[in-house]
Amino acid sequence: MDDAQLNAIIDAVVKEMIAAQAVAPARPAEPVAASSPAPAPQPAAPATPPGGLAIDLPDPALPEHRYQPRVQRAKNPDALPALIAATTARVGVGRAGPRYRTASLLLFQADHAITQDALYRDVDPKMLDDLGLFTVQTNIKSGTSPSGGKQEYLLRPDLGRQISDDGKKTILEKCVPSPNIQLVVGDGLSAAAVEANVREMFPVILNGAKSAGLTVGTPFFIKYCRVGVLNDIGHLLKPDVVILLIGERPGLGRAESLSAYMAYRPKPGDTDADRDVVCNIFNNGGTNPLEGAAFTIQLAQKMIKHQASGVRLKLATK
Amino acid sequence: MLLRTKLHGKTYEFPDLRLLMGKANEEKSGDRLAGVAADTTAERAAAKFVLAEVPLWALRQNPAAPYESDEITRVIQDAVNETIYNEIKDWTVGQFREWLLADTTSGEMIRRLSSGLTAEIIAAVAKLMSNLDLIYGASKIRVSTHCNNTIGLPGTLSSRNQPNHPTDSPEGIRASIYEGLSYGSGDSVIGINPVDDSYSSVARLLEMTYDIIKTWAIPTQNCVLSHVTTQMKCLQNGVPVGLVFQSLAGSQKGNESFGISVGMIDEANALAKKYCFPSGPNFMYFETGQGSELSADAHHGWDQLVMEARCYGFAKRYSPYQVNTVVGFIGPEYLYDARQIQRAGLEDHFMGKLTGIPMGCDACYTNHARADQNAIENLAVMLTAAGCNYFMGLPLGDDSMLSYQATSYHDAPALRQLFKLRPAPEFEKWMEDLGLMKNGVLTGIAGDPTFFLRR
């Protein structure tokens, strides 16, 4: 499938969905670091409350505030915005003595805060219900103590790669065996990533598979999930291709980045060398979820055609 | 081998040195993952009591990987000065600890003793050290090296300018380099972690950083931290290389997972001496980190502190310009939280200095570890007190390419001003000549990247 065909599929799928009002059209990317700095935030002047103090701040994480030049008495202030715009690194921040200015310090802490919140909470069950996903768990136990929950998930990656015995039973009861594509969602290291992208990706993958003449098995959700569960899924359901949508490790200020890990007929013992990944899926700056979903279908077709994934697929298509 | 003690009325017995060493470690999630951690806090205390009585010769005779099948063991054992080793081989680990800390033991005396030690001995004594012991012990040992400038001198603290960019954009990298230079970061190296490891991309970044160094006559060196083979190709093709970088592991198998061998690093070191542009004589730059051997299943069943010490024995072979542990990068399954990362940072710096290598530290953490910026600022303060050679300098401590956080461009000047330390002397003079620093303090025009737009 070439790019033109891929684009045609995406367009068709997106149009269909918009027509059905299933999703809103993708928002245009927010402007990043305009070449001339936005004016300093002017908080609206609310009616003075009792006590005479009124603090009502705009969101400091918005680009117009985030990329504000903060060097006082710059030698070449006109050139500063261009330097800031040249990189996603936090430059042009100025200083208070040898330390950070207050706004930079607080924004850094705020950006770290969202990574922690994304990591330590569960995916919204309502979203899973809306998509009709049932939930199974890996061998990580439920709970909040060191012997379970997120802490055990972080400490024992090996257990997060194994589906629990109960989970295996449920999967065998509920899922259609041997589909062309088995679609699975896992929480991974970011609940926020799953919530931000999966809703948009699901219909594209399902409809894309249909257009490509591929059958899709019964999708489900895995709690406390690591990428290595691909092997168990392949073993249980014998699909041609598994697509696992899983939350990536949050970056500073970015918790919504998702990866699609894929493998052709995965089986116990397979490693990363047997897998492919579409990574950095997120709106406004990454691979947008609609596009990312279409990529997964393109890749699945390639895997089925060459009966391979990972390094073997690379060699086959060299 | 009988390794047993009673403690608070209970008997603890350890089957071999491997498990004794593992159980004597301060708590680390990676040791638990490896199955060598103490089951209880009391068992850990008991293991330390027994380890304190182990003679140094027993540790030399029981390396983590067999001499016959592991070239890192051979590198370390073959480098031992037998005369010095014979003077100390009957000391116990506990005696060795007290000798290191004694007021009558100077840094010079420790540097001499270093050449009689193996990695297992160095790791063993670190296990008996408290955090303040590690800080105090390391502070005695200065290891200074020279490339284009001099790093690690008493009274100095250096900073690697780490201007990474998610797509290797030269303009983006340049913006960060300027920002960092204006804070006095870059006297260790201007060192870029590239996204693209290809020859052409690495060569382009080396040319770009060399151009900045020449234009501003900066007494420093450049480095692009690609795989060593890519840098070797650059050297052979006349691309300007300051330092040659590679990540090291503490076992042959671990190094195989990095795609390197002793022979390959020997060759890289020879090429560096032949083609690097600075005056030298130290041209190599190595990074390490506890847990990398376990993650490659190359730890031979030993704990991560021992495997880390073996990296330093390997590094020492090349008289490197600088070595740093990337202490919190590996993730929570090896170092779970701030406490474990801080402990490992202090251990690594101490063990590196005791090995006799010019040790710095990438005090850092990932977003899935239970740590935050305060935790690594604490670690940086402790390591500065310990005499650490250098830290990383990142724009606000945020690496927008590698997605982890470390020390910042601001941290080096704050630590220097706090501890009355200076940059490397040649670099300090350069900053003074430009008017960016006076008497060790940033001037009013420092901290402004546009300063470097004028040439």
Side-chain angles (χ1 to χ4, degrees):
Chain A
M1 182 163 65
D2 61 21
D3 284 354
Q5 284 173 291
L6 177 67
N7 288 334
I9 291 181
I10 297 176
D11 283 353
V13 168
V14 173
K15 267 185 205 144
E16 202 177 299
M17 287 187 300
I18 291 170
Q21 299 207 319
V23 295
R27 277 169 294 142
E30 305 234 8
V32 176
S35 56
S36 60
Q42 297 287 340
T48 306
L53 180 65
I55 298 170
D56 183 13
L57 302 171
D59 185 347
L62 291 174
E64 60 265 37
H65 305 306
R66 178 179 290 279
Y67 300 109
Q68 192 70 225
R70 298 190 207 281
V71 181
Q72 292 154 314
R73 300 182 302 276
K75 185 167 188 80
N76 188 346
D78 295 342
L80 197 52
L83 279 180
I84 293 171
T87 177
T88 47
R90 299 172 190 231
V91 300
V93 295
R95 61 195 182 92
R99 300 308 298 154
Y100 312 134
R101 300 197 62 195
T102 304
S104 311
L105 174 68
L106 299 185
L107 185 57
F108 183 102
Q109 291 172 348
D111 286 345
H112 187 246
I114 65 163
T115 70
Q116 299 303 291
D117 293 347
L119 188 60
Y120 290 102
R121 72 176 171 80
D122 293 327
V123 172
D124 178 11
K126 179 164 184 310
M127 189 204 81
L128 302 177
D129 285 349
D130 290 352
L131 293 173
L133 300 177
F134 67 89
T135 296
V136 298
Q137 200 160 315
T138 59
N139 275 332
I140 302 291
K141 293 179 287 296
S142 297
T144 52
S145 69
S147 57
K150 292 286 181 185
Q151 183 168 348
E152 185 178 43
Y153 173 73
L154 292 171
L155 288 169
R156 293 295 302 272
D158 52 331
L159 299 180
R161 298 183 194 116
Q162 308 158 0
I163 294 173
S164 68
D165 287 345
D166 280 356
K168 286 179 182 168
K169 214 185 295 166
T170 310
I171 289 170
L172 287 173
E173 277 166 20
K174 296 199 172 184
C175 293
V176 182
S178 309
N180 294 126
I181 292 175
Q182 177 64 48
L183 181 56
V184 183
V185 180
D187 48 6
L189 290 165
S190 175
V194 172
E195 291 162 6
N197 298 291
V198 168
R199 234 182 247 278
E200 282 183 70
M201 294 180 73
F202 243 64
V204 179
I205 293 175
L206 297 179
N207 292 336
K210 206 164 133 196
S211 310
L214 299 173
T215 60
V216 180
T218 318
F220 57 94
F221 173 75
I222 304 177
K223 192 173 179 184
Y224 304 130
C225 180
R226 298 267 178 181
V227 172
V229 295
L230 286 171
N231 296 357
D232 271 1
I233 297 166
H235 180 70
L236 287 170
L237 292 172
K238 309 275 184 264
D240 287 329
V241 171
V242 182
I243 302 176
L244 169 64
L245 307 179
I246 186 167
E248 290 178 10
R249 189 179 86 194
L252 200 65
R254 168 153 291 127
E256 70 274 22
S257 189
L258 187 95
S259 284
Y261 276 85
M262 298 174 58
Y264 180 77
R265 297 191 180 177
K267 58 187 184 307
D270 282 4
T271 68
D272 280 344
D274 303 301
R275 299 166 189 151
D276 289 282
V277 60
V278 181
C279 61
N280 278 319
I281 299 171
F282 57 91
N283 272 311
N284 303 327
T287 299
N288 83 54
L290 300 176
E291 219 179 334
F295 281 147
T296 65
I297 293 299
Q298 184 188 30
L299 193 52
Q301 284 181 300
K302 211 161 106 181
M303 287 178 176
I304 290 168
K305 182 179 166 198
H306 295 280
Q307 302 188 1
S309 56
V311 175
R312 284 177 51 232
L313 180 63
K314 246 183 221 106
L315 292 175
T317 54
K318 212 171 175 178
Chain B
M1 192 175 285
L2 179 64
L3 302 165
R4 189 168 68 193
T5 188
K6 279 196 183 127
L7 180 62
H8 295 305
K10 198 173 164 191
T11 301
Y12 297 88
E13 186 166 339
F14 305 93
D16 51 26
L17 277 175
R18 176 184 71 88
L19 275 175
L20 178 73
M21 290 277 270
K23 287 171 183 285
N25 265 351
E26 289 297 300
E27 188 175 1
K28 310 259 176 65
S29 49
D31 289 337
R32 199 159 292 284
L33 198 60
V36 298
D39 293 328
T40 62
T41 316
E43 191 191 20
R44 175 171 302 119
K48 290 188 191 204
F49 268 103
V50 176
L51 181 59
E53 297 306 317
V54 170
L56 303 189
W57 60 259
L59 291 159
R60 184 170 184 204
Q61 287 179 10
N62 289 278
Y67 183 91
E68 296 70 29
S69 60
D70 187 280
E71 62 177 0
I72 301 307
T73 300
R74 291 198 290 276
V75 162
I76 294 168
Q77 295 277 346
D78 294 351
V80 169
N81 179 307
E82 301 293 344
T83 302
I84 295 170
Y85 170 73
N86 279 320
E87 292 172 18
I88 58 167
K89 65 178 186 200
D90 293 325
W91 292 6
T92 64
V93 180
Q95 282 175 326
F96 183 33
R97 173 183 169 279
E98 292 191 356
W99 181 85
L100 286 167
L101 298 172
D103 290 328
T104 46
T105 302
S106 68
E108 282 303 302
M109 291 158 74
I110 299 174
R111 286 295 304 276
R112 173 177 177 272
L113 212 77
S114 286
S115 50
L117 304 175
T118 63
E120 287 76 9
I121 296 173
I122 289 165
V125 76
K127 290 164 201 270
L128 297 188
M129 295 278 201
S130 75
N131 282 8
L132 187 52
D133 294 349
L134 292 169
I135 293 168
Y136 180 72
S139 76
K140 291 188 179 191
I141 316 166
R142 301 304 311 208
V143 185
S144 179
T145 52
H146 190 276
C147 192
N148 248 345
N149 58 1
T150 321
I151 196 172
L153 290 169
T156 68
L157 174 67
S158 293
S159 173
R160 166 182 158 192
N161 192 329
Q162 182 172 316
N164 298 342
H165 185 276
T167 61
D168 288 343
S169 151
E171 294 71 30
I173 288 171
R174 194 181 281 271
S176 289
I177 291 175
Y178 288 169
E179 174 98 351
L181 288 172
S182 75
Y183 285 87
S185 174
D187 53 339
S188 121
V189 63
I190 296 173
I192 303 164
N193 298 89
V195 177
D196 180 354
D197 201 78
S198 70
Y199 165 74
S200 59
S201 180
V202 169
R204 182 182 61 156
L205 295 181
L206 284 166
E207 298 280 5
M208 187 271 278
T209 45
Y210 180 73
D211 178 61
I212 293 174
I213 288 173
K214 284 291 144 193
T215 302
W216 288 90
I218 311 171
T220 190
Q221 36 282 322
N222 62 349
C223 184
V224 176
L225 288 75
S226 67
H227 194 266
V228 69
T229 47
T230 310
Q231 297 162 81
M232 289 162 78
K233 193 171 169 195
C234 290
L235 287 167
Q236 285 162 324
N237 285 283
V239 178
V241 178
L243 294 175
V244 175
F245 169 84
Q246 179 57 43
S247 292
L248 302 183
S251 68
Q252 180 173 338
K253 192 178 172 199
N255 285 313
E256 281 164 4
S257 80
F258 288 158
I260 62 163
S261 63
V262 174
M264 183 187 288
I265 305 301
D266 284 356
E267 198 186 327
N269 188 39
L271 280 173
K273 285 180 178 163
K274 199 163 180 167
Y275 293 115
C276 279
F277 71 83
S279 50
N282 311 105
F283 293 109
M284 302 301 283
Y285 173 17
F286 299 121
E287 282 189 338
T288 65
Q290 289 188 30
S292 61
E293 296 82 7
L294 175 57
S295 82
D297 192 23
H299 61 303
H300 297 271
W302 284 67
D303 65 83
Q304 60 194 39
L305 194 67
V306 166
M307 299 314 290
E308 179 71 5
R310 291 167 56 90
C311 298
Y312 305 151
F314 182 18
K316 191 181 185 182
R317 176 181 178 88
Y318 305 101
S319 304
Y321 177 73
Q322 59 179 26
V323 181
N324 63 265
T325 171
V326 192
V327 68
F329 191 73
I330 192 154
E333 59 267 43
Y334 304 92
L335 296 169
Y336 181 66
D337 57 11
R339 183 171 146 162
Q340 295 185 12
I341 291 171
Q342 287 167 351
R343 172 73 193 181
L346 297 179
E347 289 169 341
D348 292 354
H349 174 256
F350 168 81
M351 295 197 303
K353 287 285 173 71
L354 184 52
T355 304
I357 56 173
M359 201 70 189
C361 181
D362 186 349
C364 63
Y365 62 104
T366 59
N367 287 322
H368 61 323
R370 278 282 192 194
D372 60 15
Q373 202 69 16
N374 286 333
I376 59 144
E377 289 180 2
N378 291 352
L379 177 56
V381 169
M382 292 189 282
L383 282 172
T384 304
C388 187
N389 284 23
Y390 65 99
F391 296 110
M392 306 297 126
L394 279 63
L396 272 177
D398 170 20
D399 192 309
S400 65
M401 191 280 272
L402 292 171
S403 260
Y404 79 121
Q405 287 91 248
T407 44
S408 71
Y409 289 144
H410 294 64
D411 290 348
L415 292 165
R416 286 168 183 154
Q417 290 173 211
L418 186 62
F419 283 88
K420 311 276 182 269
L421 302 173
R422 303 294 178 91
E426 304 87 342
F427 195 88
E428 183 186 8
K429 180 171 185 310
W430 173 79
M431 286 188 76
E432 287 210 340
D433 290 348
L434 287 178
L436 292 170
M437 177 174 266
K438 200 172 178 202
N439 300 324
V441 176
L442 295 178
T443 65
I445 62 167
D448 171 15
T450 68
F451 178 89
F452 288 99
L453 290 173
R454 66 193 163 98
R455 265 183 221 178

